[in-house]
C-alpha cells in the first residue's frame, strides 16, 4: 500500500499534487435558437483546440461546461455567469456572443476571482468594464477601418450607413464615417435599426431614395445578416450597381451557400476567413469541421474560441492551476502566437487582440465553393475604437 502510494507520487512528479485537479471552464454562448450555429462554432473551436493539444494542461484536466444563452439577454447572462462561478466553481469563463451579455458579466469577475476570455462580443468599450477581461475576437473599429480607403479606391464615395442599434453597430458606424471621410468620401445618411429587425425592404428603399453609390452595413452575424444581404439583392439594389461594403460579419462562410449569387463580389474586411491560406489554418479547419460534424458550417466564432482556449491554457499554466484571476490575466498580457487567422498578440494595454485585418471579396474557389477570398491585408491592427 505504502509502496504503491510512493510509486504514484513518483509518476506524478516531485512537488506536484498526487492527483490532478480538474479545472472547469464555463462557456456561455447561443447553443439553441436562431443564433445556434454561432454557439456551435464556439464549441467546435474550443474542442478543436483540445483535440489538437490534449485535455491536460500543466497536469490539470480541463473540463468545458457549456451554458446556453440563445440571444442578447443581459439578465440571463448575469444569472448564468453567477451560477457557473458559485455553483459549478468554474475557474475561467469564456465565450459570449453578444455585447450586452458581456457587459452584464464583467462586473462579476472581480468578486468571483474569474477571468473572462471573450470569444466574440466586439464592442470596444467592453474591455474598459473589467481588468479581468481578455478578448480573442475583433472589434468593429478594427475590422471596419480599412473599408474607407477600399471604397474610395473603387470609386464609391457617397454612402448610406446602416447598422444595428447597439454597441457594435454604433462603433461600426463611427469607424466607417471616420474612415470614409479621411479617404475623401462621405456618409449622406446614417440609419440605425433595432436588433430584432427582420424586414429590410424599407431600408433598401431609403438607400435608393438617398441616391447613394454605396451602402455600409453592420448587423450581428446570423439570421439578420443573411436577411440583409438577401434583401440587398432581392430589392434590386445590387443589380442597380449600388455597392455594399461591410465588415465580414455580413458574409460569414456558413451563410455563403444560401446567399450564392446574392453575395457575389461583395467587399468585406475581417480578421478571419475560413479559406485563409496557411498550414495552421488547414489543420484548424480540419479539426473544427470534425468537431462541428458537417461541412460548410464553420465561421469566425470558431477561431475566437480556438485562440481563446490557447489563452486560457496559458493562464492555467502560469497560475499552476491555482485560482488567481489577476495573475492569470497578467500572464497573457503581451502574449504573441500564430493563429489560424495569422500572427496575433494580446495588447498589454487593452487586453484585446492585435491582428491582421484582411480585405476580401466573395468569389468561387477552384472547387466552385463560395469563399471570402483575401485580396489585401493590413497587419498589426490594434483596437482603435476607444480613441475616437
Ligand atoms: C456583438 O454583439 O458584439 C456582436 C455580435 C455578432 C457580431 C459582431 C458583434 O457578428
Amino acid at each position: 500500500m505504502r509502496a504503491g502510494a510512493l510509486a504514484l507520487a513518483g509518476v506524478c512528479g516531485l512537488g506536484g499534487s498526487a492527483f490532478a485537479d480538474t479545472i472547469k471552464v464555463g462557456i456561455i454562448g447561443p447553443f439553441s435558437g436562431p443564433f445556434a450555429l454561432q454557439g456551435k462554432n464556439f464549441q467546435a473551436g474550443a474542442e478543436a483546440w483540445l483535440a489538437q493539444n490534449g485535455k491536460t494542461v500543466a497536469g490539470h484536466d480541463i473540463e468545458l461546461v457549456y451554458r446556453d444563452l440563445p440571444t442578447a439577454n443581459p439578465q440571463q447572462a448575469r444569472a448564468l455567469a453567477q451560477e457557473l462561478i458559485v455553483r459549478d466553481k468554474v475557474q475561467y469563463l469564456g465565450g459570449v456572443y453578444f455585447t450586452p451579455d458581456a457587459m452584464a458579466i464583467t462586473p462579476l469577475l472581480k468578486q468571483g476571482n474569474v477571468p473572462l476570455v471573450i470569444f466574440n462580443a466586439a464592442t470596444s468599450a467592453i474591455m474598459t468594464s473589467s481588468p479581468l477581461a481578455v478578448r480573442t475576437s475583433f472589434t468593429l473599429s478594427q475590422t471596419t477601418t480599412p473599408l474607407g480607403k477600399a471604397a474610395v479606391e473603387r470609386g464609391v464615395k457617397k454612402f448610406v450607413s446602416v447598422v444595428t442599434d447597439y454597441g457594435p453597430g454604433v462603433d461600426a458606424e463611427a469607424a466607417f464615417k471616420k474612415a470614409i471621410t479621411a479617404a475623401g468620401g462621405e456618409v449622406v445618411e446614417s440609419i440605425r435599426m433595432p436588433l430584432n429587425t427582420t424586414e429590410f425592404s424599407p431600408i433598401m428603399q431609403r438607400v435608393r431614395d438617398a441616391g447613394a453609390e454605396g451602402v455600409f452595413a453592420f448587423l450581428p452575424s446570423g439570421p439578420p445578416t443573411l436577411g440583409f444581404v438577401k434583401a440587398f439583392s432581392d430589392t434590386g439594389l445590387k443589380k442597380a450597381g449600388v455597392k455594399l461594403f461591410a465588415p465580414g460579419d455580413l458574409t460569414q462562410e456558413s451563410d455563403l451557400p444560401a446567399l450564392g449569387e446574392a453575395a457575389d463580389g461583395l467587399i468585406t474586411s475581417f480578421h478571419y476567413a475560413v479559406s485563409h491560406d496557411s498550414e495552421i489554418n488547414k489543420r484548424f479547419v480540419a479539426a473544427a469541421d470534425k468537431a462541428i460534424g458537417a461541412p460548410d458550417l464553420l465561421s469566425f466564432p470558431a477561431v475566437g474560441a480556438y485562440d481563446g482556449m490557447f489563452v486560457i491554457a496559458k493562464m492555467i499554466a502560469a497560475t499552476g492551476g491555482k485560482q488567481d484571476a489577476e495573475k492569470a490575466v497578467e500572464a497573457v498580457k503581451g502574449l504573441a502566437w500564430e493563429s489560424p487567422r495569422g500572427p496575433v498578440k494580446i495588447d498589454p494595454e487593452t487586453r484585446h487582440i492585435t491582428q491582421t485585418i484582411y480585405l476580401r471579396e466573395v468569389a468561387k474557389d477552384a472547387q466552385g465553393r463560395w469563399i471570402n477570398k483575401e485580396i489585401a491585408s493590413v497587419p498589426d491592427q490594434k483596437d482603435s475604437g476607444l480613441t475616437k
Side-chain angles (χ1 to χ4, degrees), residues 336-367:
W337 72 100
E338 186 69 22
S339 156
R341 67 188 96 173
V344 298
K345 181 181 172 176
I346 300 297
D347 180 348
E349 276 162 48
T350 61
R351 291 161 276 106
H352 175 76
I353 196 161
T354 299
Q355 57 196 332
T356 302
I357 300 299
Y358 304 87
L359 198 67
R360 309 100 49 84
E361 181 172 2
V362 176
K364 277 186 177 168
D365 70 4
Q367 285 79 46

PDB file of all heavy atoms in Angstrom, residues 336-367:
ATOM      1  N   ALA A 336       2.111  36.543 -27.656  1.00  0.00           N
ATOM      2  CA  ALA A 336       2.022  36.569 -29.120  1.00  0.00           C
ATOM      3  C   ALA A 336       2.080  35.137 -29.639  1.00  0.00           C
ATOM      4  O   ALA A 336       2.793  34.314 -29.085  1.00  0.00           O
ATOM      5  CB  ALA A 336       3.171  37.383 -29.701  1.00  0.00           C
ATOM      6  N   TRP A 337       1.302  34.838 -30.671  1.00  0.00           N
ATOM      7  CA  TRP A 337       1.332  33.489 -31.236  1.00  0.00           C
ATOM      8  C   TRP A 337       0.818  33.495 -32.668  1.00  0.00           C
ATOM      9  O   TRP A 337       0.319  34.504 -33.144  1.00  0.00           O
ATOM     10  CB  TRP A 337       0.544  32.501 -30.364  1.00  0.00           C
ATOM     11  CG  TRP A 337      -0.952  32.628 -30.376  1.00  0.00           C
ATOM     12  CD1 TRP A 337      -1.828  31.866 -31.091  1.00  0.00           C
ATOM     13  CD2 TRP A 337      -1.754  33.562 -29.621  1.00  0.00           C
ATOM     14  NE1 TRP A 337      -3.114  32.263 -30.819  1.00  0.00           N
ATOM     15  CE2 TRP A 337      -3.103  33.291 -29.929  1.00  0.00           C
ATOM     16  CE3 TRP A 337      -1.457  34.584 -28.710  1.00  0.00           C
ATOM     17  CZ2 TRP A 337      -4.158  34.029 -29.370  1.00  0.00           C
ATOM     18  CZ3 TRP A 337      -2.503  35.318 -28.162  1.00  0.00           C
ATOM     19  CH2 TRP A 337      -3.833  35.030 -28.492  1.00  0.00           C
ATOM     20  N   GLU A 338       0.982  32.353 -33.325  1.00  0.00           N
ATOM     21  CA  GLU A 338       0.498  32.201 -34.691  1.00  0.00           C
ATOM     22  C   GLU A 338      -0.885  31.558 -34.624  1.00  0.00           C
ATOM     23  O   GLU A 338      -1.030  30.426 -34.194  1.00  0.00           O
ATOM     24  CB  GLU A 338       1.494  31.322 -35.473  1.00  0.00           C
ATOM     25  CG  GLU A 338       1.202  31.182 -36.945  1.00  0.00           C
ATOM     26  CD  GLU A 338       1.424  32.472 -37.747  1.00  0.00           C
ATOM     27  OE1 GLU A 338       2.184  33.353 -37.285  1.00  0.00           O
ATOM     28  OE2 GLU A 338       0.812  32.585 -38.824  1.00  0.00           O
ATOM     29  N   SER A 339      -1.893  32.305 -35.019  1.00  0.00           N
ATOM     30  CA  SER A 339      -3.277  31.819 -35.005  1.00  0.00           C
ATOM     31  C   SER A 339      -3.629  31.321 -36.411  1.00  0.00           C
ATOM     32  O   SER A 339      -2.970  31.695 -37.387  1.00  0.00           O
ATOM     33  CB  SER A 339      -4.183  32.995 -34.607  1.00  0.00           C
ATOM     34  OG  SER A 339      -5.504  32.816 -35.083  1.00  0.00           O
ATOM     35  N   PRO A 340      -4.701  30.540 -36.543  1.00  0.00           N
ATOM     36  CA  PRO A 340      -5.163  30.190 -37.894  1.00  0.00           C
ATOM     37  C   PRO A 340      -5.475  31.427 -38.741  1.00  0.00           C
ATOM     38  O   PRO A 340      -5.510  31.370 -39.963  1.00  0.00           O
ATOM     39  CB  PRO A 340      -6.436  29.384 -37.626  1.00  0.00           C
ATOM     40  CG  PRO A 340      -6.231  28.793 -36.266  1.00  0.00           C
ATOM     41  CD  PRO A 340      -5.463  29.836 -35.492  1.00  0.00           C
ATOM     42  N   ARG A 341      -5.715  32.570 -38.100  1.00  0.00           N
ATOM     43  CA  ARG A 341      -6.007  33.803 -38.850  1.00  0.00           C
ATOM     44  C   ARG A 341      -4.747  34.534 -39.293  1.00  0.00           C
ATOM     45  O   ARG A 341      -4.801  35.450 -40.107  1.00  0.00           O
ATOM     46  CB  ARG A 341      -6.891  34.725 -38.005  1.00  0.00           C
ATOM     47  CG  ARG A 341      -6.224  35.287 -36.791  1.00  0.00           C
ATOM     48  CD  ARG A 341      -7.148  36.055 -35.855  1.00  0.00           C
ATOM     49  NE  ARG A 341      -7.639  35.249 -34.756  1.00  0.00           N
ATOM     50  CZ  ARG A 341      -8.345  35.703 -33.721  1.00  0.00           C
ATOM     51  NH1 ARG A 341      -8.671  36.982 -33.659  1.00  0.00           N
ATOM     52  NH2 ARG A 341      -8.725  34.904 -32.773  1.00  0.00           N
ATOM     53  N   GLY A 342      -3.576  34.192 -38.675  1.00  0.00           N
ATOM     54  CA  GLY A 342      -2.322  34.906 -38.933  1.00  0.00           C
ATOM     55  C   GLY A 342      -1.672  35.252 -37.600  1.00  0.00           C
ATOM     56  O   GLY A 342      -2.114  34.778 -36.545  1.00  0.00           O
ATOM     57  N   PRO A 343      -0.628  36.106 -37.607  1.00  0.00           N
ATOM     58  CA  PRO A 343       0.039  36.453 -36.344  1.00  0.00           C
ATOM     59  C   PRO A 343      -0.840  37.343 -35.461  1.00  0.00           C
ATOM     60  O   PRO A 343      -1.473  38.274 -35.968  1.00  0.00           O
ATOM     61  CB  PRO A 343       1.297  37.211 -36.799  1.00  0.00           C
ATOM     62  CG  PRO A 343       1.039  37.631 -38.195  1.00  0.00           C
ATOM     63  CD  PRO A 343       0.003  36.725 -38.782  1.00  0.00           C
ATOM     64  N   VAL A 344      -0.879  37.036 -34.176  1.00  0.00           N
ATOM     65  CA  VAL A 344      -1.713  37.803 -33.237  1.00  0.00           C
ATOM     66  C   VAL A 344      -0.957  38.050 -31.933  1.00  0.00           C
ATOM     67  O   VAL A 344       0.044  37.394 -31.655  1.00  0.00           O
ATOM     68  CB  VAL A 344      -3.047  37.071 -32.908  1.00  0.00           C
ATOM     69  CG1 VAL A 344      -3.900  36.893 -34.148  1.00  0.00           C
ATOM     70  CG2 VAL A 344      -2.783  35.714 -32.250  1.00  0.00           C
ATOM     71  N   LYS A 345      -1.479  38.983 -31.141  1.00  0.00           N
ATOM     72  CA  LYS A 345      -0.851  39.321 -29.862  1.00  0.00           C
ATOM     73  C   LYS A 345      -1.904  39.933 -28.941  1.00  0.00           C
ATOM     74  O   LYS A 345      -2.781  40.665 -29.407  1.00  0.00           O
ATOM     75  CB  LYS A 345       0.254  40.350 -30.132  1.00  0.00           C
ATOM     76  CG  LYS A 345       1.012  40.792 -28.919  1.00  0.00           C
ATOM     77  CD  LYS A 345       2.071  41.823 -29.314  1.00  0.00           C
ATOM     78  CE  LYS A 345       2.702  42.418 -28.072  1.00  0.00           C
ATOM     79  NZ  LYS A 345       3.786  43.351 -28.376  1.00  0.00           N
ATOM     80  N   ILE A 346      -1.835  39.634 -27.652  1.00  0.00           N
ATOM     81  CA  ILE A 346      -2.720  40.312 -26.708  1.00  0.00           C
ATOM     82  C   ILE A 346      -2.065  41.642 -26.329  1.00  0.00           C
ATOM     83  O   ILE A 346      -0.987  41.667 -25.730  1.00  0.00           O
ATOM     84  CB  ILE A 346      -2.969  39.457 -25.437  1.00  0.00           C
ATOM     85  CG1 ILE A 346      -3.626  38.121 -25.785  1.00  0.00           C
ATOM     86  CG2 ILE A 346      -3.822  40.246 -24.413  1.00  0.00           C
ATOM     87  CD1 ILE A 346      -5.010  38.202 -26.413  1.00  0.00           C
ATOM     88  N   ASP A 347      -2.711  42.730 -26.736  1.00  0.00           N
ATOM     89  CA  ASP A 347      -2.185  44.066 -26.433  1.00  0.00           C
ATOM     90  C   ASP A 347      -2.169  44.228 -24.904  1.00  0.00           C
ATOM     91  O   ASP A 347      -3.219  44.139 -24.266  1.00  0.00           O
ATOM     92  CB  ASP A 347      -3.113  45.102 -27.093  1.00  0.00           C
ATOM     93  CG  ASP A 347      -2.672  46.542 -26.853  1.00  0.00           C
ATOM     94  OD1 ASP A 347      -1.793  46.770 -25.990  1.00  0.00           O
ATOM     95  OD2 ASP A 347      -3.213  47.434 -27.523  1.00  0.00           O
ATOM     96  N   PRO A 348      -0.966  44.454 -24.298  1.00  0.00           N
ATOM     97  CA  PRO A 348      -0.915  44.522 -22.842  1.00  0.00           C
ATOM     98  C   PRO A 348      -1.725  45.684 -22.259  1.00  0.00           C
ATOM     99  O   PRO A 348      -2.162  45.611 -21.109  1.00  0.00           O
ATOM    100  CB  PRO A 348       0.582  44.692 -22.534  1.00  0.00           C
ATOM    101  CG  PRO A 348       1.235  45.034 -23.817  1.00  0.00           C
ATOM    102  CD  PRO A 348       0.347  44.580 -24.927  1.00  0.00           C
ATOM    103  N   GLU A 349      -1.975  46.717 -23.056  1.00  0.00           N
ATOM    104  CA  GLU A 349      -2.732  47.863 -22.535  1.00  0.00           C
ATOM    105  C   GLU A 349      -4.239  47.632 -22.536  1.00  0.00           C
ATOM    106  O   GLU A 349      -4.919  47.921 -21.561  1.00  0.00           O
ATOM    107  CB  GLU A 349      -2.440  49.114 -23.360  1.00  0.00           C
ATOM    108  CG  GLU A 349      -1.171  49.828 -22.912  1.00  0.00           C
ATOM    109  CD  GLU A 349      -0.688  50.774 -23.978  1.00  0.00           C
ATOM    110  OE1 GLU A 349      -1.503  51.546 -24.512  1.00  0.00           O
ATOM    111  OE2 GLU A 349       0.520  50.722 -24.282  1.00  0.00           O
ATOM    112  N   THR A 350      -4.755  47.088 -23.639  1.00  0.00           N
ATOM    113  CA  THR A 350      -6.218  46.947 -23.748  1.00  0.00           C
ATOM    114  C   THR A 350      -6.704  45.525 -23.464  1.00  0.00           C
ATOM    115  O   THR A 350      -7.909  45.307 -23.309  1.00  0.00           O
ATOM    116  CB  THR A 350      -6.691  47.314 -25.171  1.00  0.00           C
ATOM    117  OG1 THR A 350      -6.067  46.405 -26.097  1.00  0.00           O
ATOM    118  CG2 THR A 350      -6.322  48.740 -25.538  1.00  0.00           C
ATOM    119  N   ARG A 351      -5.815  44.537 -23.473  1.00  0.00           N
ATOM    120  CA  ARG A 351      -6.145  43.099 -23.334  1.00  0.00           C
ATOM    121  C   ARG A 351      -6.974  42.599 -24.509  1.00  0.00           C
ATOM    122  O   ARG A 351      -7.594  41.545 -24.450  1.00  0.00           O
ATOM    123  CB  ARG A 351      -6.846  42.806 -21.990  1.00  0.00           C
ATOM    124  CG  ARG A 351      -5.961  42.944 -20.784  1.00  0.00           C
ATOM    125  CD  ARG A 351      -6.751  43.114 -19.505  1.00  0.00           C
ATOM    126  NE  ARG A 351      -7.132  44.509 -19.296  1.00  0.00           N
ATOM    127  CZ  ARG A 351      -8.360  44.988 -19.463  1.00  0.00           C
ATOM    128  NH1 ARG A 351      -9.352  44.178 -19.790  1.00  0.00           N
ATOM    129  NH2 ARG A 351      -8.596  46.273 -19.278  1.00  0.00           N
ATOM    130  N   HIS A 352      -6.980  43.364 -25.578  1.00  0.00           N
ATOM    131  CA  HIS A 352      -7.680  42.974 -26.809  1.00  0.00           C
ATOM    132  C   HIS A 352      -6.641  42.487 -27.832  1.00  0.00           C
ATOM    133  O   HIS A 352      -5.491  42.912 -27.811  1.00  0.00           O
ATOM    134  CB  HIS A 352      -8.467  44.173 -27.359  1.00  0.00           C
ATOM    135  CG  HIS A 352      -9.109  43.882 -28.681  1.00  0.00           C
ATOM    136  ND1 HIS A 352     -10.248  43.121 -28.789  1.00  0.00           N
ATOM    137  CD2 HIS A 352      -8.735  44.211 -29.942  1.00  0.00           C
ATOM    138  CE1 HIS A 352     -10.553  43.006 -30.078  1.00  0.00           C
ATOM    139  NE2 HIS A 352      -9.656  43.656 -30.788  1.00  0.00           N
ATOM    140  N   ILE A 353      -7.083  41.657 -28.749  1.00  0.00           N
ATOM    141  CA  ILE A 353      -6.148  41.019 -29.680  1.00  0.00           C
ATOM    142  C   ILE A 353      -5.722  41.963 -30.821  1.00  0.00           C
ATOM    143  O   ILE A 353      -6.554  42.612 -31.466  1.00  0.00           O
ATOM    144  CB  ILE A 353      -6.766  39.693 -30.206  1.00  0.00           C
ATOM    145  CG1 ILE A 353      -5.716  38.792 -30.850  1.00  0.00           C
ATOM    146  CG2 ILE A 353      -7.937  39.952 -31.144  1.00  0.00           C
ATOM    147  CD1 ILE A 353      -6.161  37.327 -30.957  1.00  0.00           C
ATOM    148  N   THR A 354      -4.414  42.046 -31.033  1.00  0.00           N
ATOM    149  CA  THR A 354      -3.833  42.782 -32.167  1.00  0.00           C
ATOM    150  C   THR A 354      -3.683  41.780 -33.303  1.00  0.00           C
ATOM    151  O   THR A 354      -3.224  40.665 -33.075  1.00  0.00           O
ATOM    152  CB  THR A 354      -2.449  43.338 -31.783  1.00  0.00           C
ATOM    153  OG1 THR A 354      -2.600  44.238 -30.676  1.00  0.00           O
ATOM    154  CG2 THR A 354      -1.794  44.084 -32.938  1.00  0.00           C
ATOM    155  N   GLN A 355      -4.086  42.160 -34.525  1.00  0.00           N
ATOM    156  CA  GLN A 355      -4.113  41.169 -35.604  1.00  0.00           C
ATOM    157  C   GLN A 355      -4.104  41.831 -36.983  1.00  0.00           C
ATOM    158  O   GLN A 355      -4.264  43.041 -37.103  1.00  0.00           O
ATOM    159  CB  GLN A 355      -5.364  40.312 -35.467  1.00  0.00           C
ATOM    160  CG  GLN A 355      -6.665  41.122 -35.465  1.00  0.00           C
ATOM    161  CD  GLN A 355      -7.855  40.328 -34.958  1.00  0.00           C
ATOM    162  OE1 GLN A 355      -7.881  39.116 -35.092  1.00  0.00           O
ATOM    163  NE2 GLN A 355      -8.844  41.001 -34.390  1.00  0.00           N
ATOM    164  N   THR A 356      -3.946  41.000 -38.013  1.00  0.00           N
ATOM    165  CA  THR A 356      -4.052  41.469 -39.391  1.00  0.00           C
ATOM    166  C   THR A 356      -5.530  41.545 -39.763  1.00  0.00           C
ATOM    167  O   THR A 356      -6.298  40.658 -39.419  1.00  0.00           O
ATOM    168  CB  THR A 356      -3.352  40.466 -40.347  1.00  0.00           C
ATOM    169  OG1 THR A 356      -1.997  40.331 -39.942  1.00  0.00           O
ATOM    170  CG2 THR A 356      -3.416  40.941 -41.786  1.00  0.00           C
ATOM    171  N   ILE A 357      -5.905  42.632 -40.432  1.00  0.00           N
ATOM    172  CA  ILE A 357      -7.260  42.714 -40.988  1.00  0.00           C
ATOM    173  C   ILE A 357      -7.143  42.560 -42.508  1.00  0.00           C
ATOM    174  O   ILE A 357      -6.314  43.210 -43.143  1.00  0.00           O
ATOM    175  CB  ILE A 357      -7.939  44.059 -40.624  1.00  0.00           C
ATOM    176  CG1 ILE A 357      -8.035  44.221 -39.093  1.00  0.00           C
ATOM    177  CG2 ILE A 357      -9.329  44.158 -41.271  1.00  0.00           C
ATOM    178  CD1 ILE A 357      -8.846  43.159 -38.352  1.00  0.00           C
ATOM    179  N   TYR A 358      -7.957  41.664 -43.039  1.00  0.00           N
ATOM    180  CA  TYR A 358      -7.892  41.326 -44.466  1.00  0.00           C
ATOM    181  C   TYR A 358      -9.067  41.940 -45.216  1.00  0.00           C
ATOM    182  O   TYR A 358     -10.198  41.945 -44.713  1.00  0.00           O
ATOM    183  CB  TYR A 358      -7.960  39.809 -44.656  1.00  0.00           C
ATOM    184  CG  TYR A 358      -6.886  39.062 -43.894  1.00  0.00           C
ATOM    185  CD1 TYR A 358      -7.083  38.674 -42.568  1.00  0.00           C
ATOM    186  CD2 TYR A 358      -5.661  38.769 -44.500  1.00  0.00           C
ATOM    187  CE1 TYR A 358      -6.096  37.996 -41.857  1.00  0.00           C
ATOM    188  CE2 TYR A 358      -4.671  38.089 -43.794  1.00  0.00           C
ATOM    189  CZ  TYR A 358      -4.900  37.710 -42.475  1.00  0.00           C
ATOM    190  OH  TYR A 358      -3.919  37.049 -41.774  1.00  0.00           O
ATOM    191  N   LEU A 359      -8.752  42.446 -46.413  1.00  0.00           N
ATOM    192  CA  LEU A 359      -9.809  42.863 -47.327  1.00  0.00           C
ATOM    193  C   LEU A 359     -10.142  41.628 -48.159  1.00  0.00           C
ATOM    194  O   LEU A 359      -9.232  40.931 -48.623  1.00  0.00           O
ATOM    195  CB  LEU A 359      -9.274  43.987 -48.211  1.00  0.00           C
ATOM    196  CG  LEU A 359     -10.310  44.836 -48.914  1.00  0.00           C
ATOM    197  CD1 LEU A 359     -11.105  45.637 -47.884  1.00  0.00           C
ATOM    198  CD2 LEU A 359      -9.640  45.790 -49.884  1.00  0.00           C
ATOM    199  N   ARG A 360     -11.430  41.341 -48.315  1.00  0.00           N
ATOM    200  CA  ARG A 360     -11.816  40.114 -49.014  1.00  0.00           C
ATOM    201  C   ARG A 360     -12.933  40.390 -50.033  1.00  0.00           C
ATOM    202  O   ARG A 360     -13.653  41.374 -49.912  1.00  0.00           O
ATOM    203  CB  ARG A 360     -12.348  39.050 -48.038  1.00  0.00           C
ATOM    204  CG  ARG A 360     -11.500  38.731 -46.838  1.00  0.00           C
ATOM    205  CD  ARG A 360     -11.985  39.431 -45.582  1.00  0.00           C
ATOM    206  NE  ARG A 360     -13.407  39.274 -45.345  1.00  0.00           N
ATOM    207  CZ  ARG A 360     -13.958  38.216 -44.722  1.00  0.00           C
ATOM    208  NH1 ARG A 360     -13.201  37.283 -44.188  1.00  0.00           N
ATOM    209  NH2 ARG A 360     -15.254  38.113 -44.574  1.00  0.00           N
ATOM    210  N   GLU A 361     -13.073  39.473 -50.972  1.00  0.00           N
ATOM    211  CA  GLU A 361     -14.148  39.577 -51.951  1.00  0.00           C
ATOM    212  C   GLU A 361     -14.844  38.215 -52.022  1.00  0.00           C
ATOM    213  O   GLU A 361     -14.160  37.189 -52.073  1.00  0.00           O
ATOM    214  CB  GLU A 361     -13.555  39.931 -53.316  1.00  0.00           C
ATOM    215  CG  GLU A 361     -14.598  40.090 -54.377  1.00  0.00           C
ATOM    216  CD  GLU A 361     -14.012  40.634 -55.681  1.00  0.00           C
ATOM    217  OE1 GLU A 361     -12.785  40.845 -55.766  1.00  0.00           O
ATOM    218  OE2 GLU A 361     -14.805  40.826 -56.622  1.00  0.00           O
ATOM    219  N   VAL A 362     -16.167  38.210 -51.999  1.00  0.00           N
ATOM    220  CA  VAL A 362     -16.881  36.929 -52.122  1.00  0.00           C
ATOM    221  C   VAL A 362     -16.725  36.440 -53.562  1.00  0.00           C
ATOM    222  O   VAL A 362     -17.020  37.157 -54.511  1.00  0.00           O
ATOM    223  CB  VAL A 362     -18.374  37.060 -51.751  1.00  0.00           C
ATOM    224  CG1 VAL A 362     -19.099  35.737 -51.992  1.00  0.00           C
ATOM    225  CG2 VAL A 362     -18.532  37.502 -50.295  1.00  0.00           C
ATOM    226  N   ALA A 363     -16.201  35.217 -53.691  1.00  0.00           N
ATOM    227  CA  ALA A 363     -15.928  34.643 -55.017  1.00  0.00           C
ATOM    228  C   ALA A 363     -15.983  33.122 -54.900  1.00  0.00           C
ATOM    229  O   ALA A 363     -16.024  32.587 -53.797  1.00  0.00           O
ATOM    230  CB  ALA A 363     -14.542  35.083 -55.494  1.00  0.00           C
ATOM    231  N   LYS A 364     -15.952  32.456 -56.036  1.00  0.00           N
ATOM    232  CA  LYS A 364     -15.901  30.991 -56.015  1.00  0.00           C
ATOM    233  C   LYS A 364     -14.449  30.532 -56.050  1.00  0.00           C
ATOM    234  O   LYS A 364     -13.624  31.128 -56.749  1.00  0.00           O
ATOM    235  CB  LYS A 364     -16.643  30.424 -57.224  1.00  0.00           C
ATOM    236  CG  LYS A 364     -18.142  30.346 -57.007  1.00  0.00           C
ATOM    237  CD  LYS A 364     -18.835  29.643 -58.155  1.00  0.00           C
ATOM    238  CE  LYS A 364     -20.320  29.511 -57.882  1.00  0.00           C
ATOM    239  NZ  LYS A 364     -21.064  29.098 -59.073  1.00  0.00           N
ATOM    240  N   ASP A 365     -14.145  29.460 -55.306  1.00  0.00           N
ATOM    241  CA  ASP A 365     -12.789  28.912 -55.370  1.00  0.00           C
ATOM    242  C   ASP A 365     -12.708  27.890 -56.520  1.00  0.00           C
ATOM    243  O   ASP A 365     -13.683  27.702 -57.257  1.00  0.00           O
ATOM    244  CB  ASP A 365     -12.370  28.310 -54.013  1.00  0.00           C
ATOM    245  CG  ASP A 365     -13.114  27.035 -53.654  1.00  0.00           C
ATOM    246  OD1 ASP A 365     -13.924  26.550 -54.492  1.00  0.00           O
ATOM    247  OD2 ASP A 365     -12.904  26.516 -52.544  1.00  0.00           O
ATOM    248  N   ALA A 366     -11.543  27.248 -56.647  1.00  0.00           N
ATOM    249  CA  ALA A 366     -11.326  26.326 -57.769  1.00  0.00           C
ATOM    250  C   ALA A 366     -12.331  25.170 -57.755  1.00  0.00           C
ATOM    251  O   ALA A 366     -12.647  24.609 -58.804  1.00  0.00           O
ATOM    252  CB  ALA A 366      -9.898  25.795 -57.730  1.00  0.00           C
ATOM    253  N   GLN A 367     -12.835  24.829 -56.567  1.00  0.00           N
ATOM    254  CA  GLN A 367     -13.817  23.726 -56.477  1.00  0.00           C
ATOM    255  C   GLN A 367     -15.260  24.227 -56.644  1.00  0.00           C
ATOM    256  O   GLN A 367     -16.210  23.469 -56.477  1.00  0.00           O
ATOM    257  CB  GLN A 367     -13.707  23.021 -55.116  1.00  0.00           C
ATOM    258  CG  GLN A 367     -12.497  22.116 -54.953  1.00  0.00           C
ATOM    259  CD  GLN A 367     -11.241  22.911 -54.651  1.00  0.00           C
ATOM    260  OE1 GLN A 367     -11.251  23.803 -53.818  1.00  0.00           O
ATOM    261  NE2 GLN A 367     -10.171  22.596 -55.353  1.00  0.00           N
TER     262      GLN A 367
END
